[in-house]
Amino acid sequence: MATNQLEQVKLHHIDLADETFRYRADIDVGDLATSIHDHGLQTPVVLRSKGKGPYQVISGFRRLAAIQRLHEQGHWTDQAFPAIIRTDLTDDIEAAKSSVIENHARATYSDLDRANAILAMRKLGISHQEIQ
């Protein structure tokens, strides 16, 4: 069972360079950045703690890229935004599964994105049966 804590997080509390669970081949943020600028972040990103350091992104790379763009343009200063902190995802296999499930449920993956996710999960040792 997922352990979720909804918190307000700032960009500098996230390791944005860690793309371990990013399977999307291309991240286009144009319309999303405009929406976040006009209406705020409507769907929280999903993060996990990896000790005392910054949070690791499980899901929401596109949303974070949009916020980064807004920040670079001076439209997002040091504002906090909603994030679900998954305290139960202590290993990479469960984190990878969670990332894929969240994106699959939202129907946001292209065929190439799904292929990238499958390859990454196989590298983690997840069986074909589990991936199915």
Side-chain angles (χ1 to χ4, degrees):
M1 175 183 289
T3 304
N4 303 321
Q5 299 172 348
L6 185 62
E7 295 184 15
Q8 294 294 312
V9 176
K10 296 181 179 184
L11 275 178
H12 67 272
H13 292 147
I14 301 170
D15 183 355
L16 297 170
D18 184 343
E19 296 184 341
T20 302
F21 305 110
R22 179 183 163 209
Y23 308 123
R24 193 175 301 279
D26 183 39
I27 296 183
D28 177 25
V29 300
D31 292 343
L32 181 57
T34 300
S35 175
I36 291 172
H37 178 264
D38 293 346
H39 308 288
L41 184 64
Q42 300 297 306
T43 303
V45 297
V46 180
L47 310 171
R48 77 171 177 171
S49 177
K50 290 195 76 177
K52 294 183 181 193
Y55 290 112
Q56 182 181 35
V57 182
I58 301 299
S59 182
F61 287 95
R62 184 169 173 259
R63 286 166 270 171
L64 288 171
I67 291 171
Q68 280 181 283
R69 177 179 289 170
L70 291 170
H71 179 74
E72 291 165 2
Q73 295 172 344
H75 300 297
W76 194 282
T77 53
D78 197 26
Q79 297 162 263
F81 50 87
I84 296 170
I85 309 300
R86 293 287 304 269
T87 58
D88 60 327
L89 297 177
T90 57
D91 68 48
D92 287 350
I93 291 174
E94 290 305 313
K97 288 178 185 178
S98 178
S99 176
V100 171
I101 289 168
E102 198 269 345
N103 281 287
H104 179 73
R106 294 178 65 231
T108 61
Y109 275 166
S110 70
D111 290 341
L112 182 57
D113 299 335
R114 279 190 276 296
N116 286 337
I118 290 168
L119 286 173
M121 289 190 295
R122 289 297 296 143
K123 286 180 183 176
L124 287 171
I126 301 173
S127 72
H128 288 292
Q129 291 170 322
E130 288 178 291
I131 293 170
Q132 264 183 332

